[in-house]
Amino acid sequence: MSDTLFSKIINREIPADILYEDEDALAFADINPQAPVHFLVIPKKPIATINDIEEEDKAVVGHLYLVAAKLAKDMGFAEEGYRAVMNCNPYGGQTVYHLHLHVLAGKPMGWPPYQETLKTE
Ligand code: AMP
C-alpha cells in the first residue's frame, strides 16, 4: 500500500491533534469536523479499506473500537452516545485509503445517512 496522509501522521511527518496512541493504534482529531466532537481511530498497520482486512487483522480492528469506547468514556460522551463509522471506497465516501474509524459525538446523529426516493409505478 502506498503512503497516505495517515502514515505521515503516524510517523510525525505532518502534525495532528493526537488524542491517544499505543503500539497498534492512533487517534487524532479530524481536520474537518462534522460534529462537535470528531476524531479518527486508525491502526498503525496500513490497511487500505475494510475490503483489505485479513484474518490476522481481527484483533487490531476490534482494538479500534475499544480505543473509541475508551476515549468516549474519558471524554465524557459515552453515555449520551456517539456514531462510530468506517467508510469504504467511493460509494462509501472514503477519501483516505488507510483504514479509519470516524467517531462523531456531541449532538444527535441523523439516520439513515442516505434516502432514495422510491419510484412506485
Ligand atoms: P474518509 O472520507 O472516510 O476517508 O475520511 C477521511 C477523513 O480524514 C476526513 O473526515 C478528513 O477530514 C480527514 N482528514 C484528512 N486529512 C486530515 C489530516 N491531515 N488530519 C486530520 N484529519 C484529516
Side-chain angles (χ1 to χ4, degrees):
M1 194 181 114
S2 63
D3 241 19
T4 66
L5 270 175
F6 292 175
S7 299
K8 292 189 169 71
I9 289 176
I10 293 167
N11 296 327
R12 307 297 201 272
E13 291 165 24
I14 60 172
D17 178 8
I18 293 172
L19 306 174
Y20 175 88
E21 180 169 24
D22 64 27
E23 209 181 312
D24 298 313
L26 187 73
F28 53 93
D30 195 293
I31 206 167
N32 182 24
Q34 301 301 314
V37 177
H38 184 181
F39 60 83
L40 305 173
V41 188
I42 69 171
K44 288 192 171 170
K45 180 177 175 181
I47 301 165
T49 79
I50 295 174
N51 294 336
D52 300 295
I53 297 169
E54 295 176 349
E55 275 294 310
E56 66 183 33
D57 302 323
K58 281 195 295 197
V60 80
V61 175
H63 181 60
L64 302 181
Y65 286 89
L66 292 175
V67 171
K70 173 189 163 35
L71 287 172
K73 201 172 169 195
D74 291 353
M75 293 167 77
F77 60 82
E79 291 312 315
E80 67 188 10
Y82 54 98
R83 174 77 43 83
V85 65
M86 281 187 192
N87 298 328
C88 182
N89 278 342
Y91 274 23
Q94 186 170 9
T95 58
V96 179
Y97 283 78
H98 182 127
L99 199 73
H100 50 282
L101 184 62
H102 290 263
V103 178
L104 300 127
K107 67 176 185 185
M109 303 290 148
W111 191 264
Y114 171 74
Q115 256 181 322
E116 194 166 12
T117 308
L118 293 174
K119 276 190 193 155
T120 46
E121 291 175 43

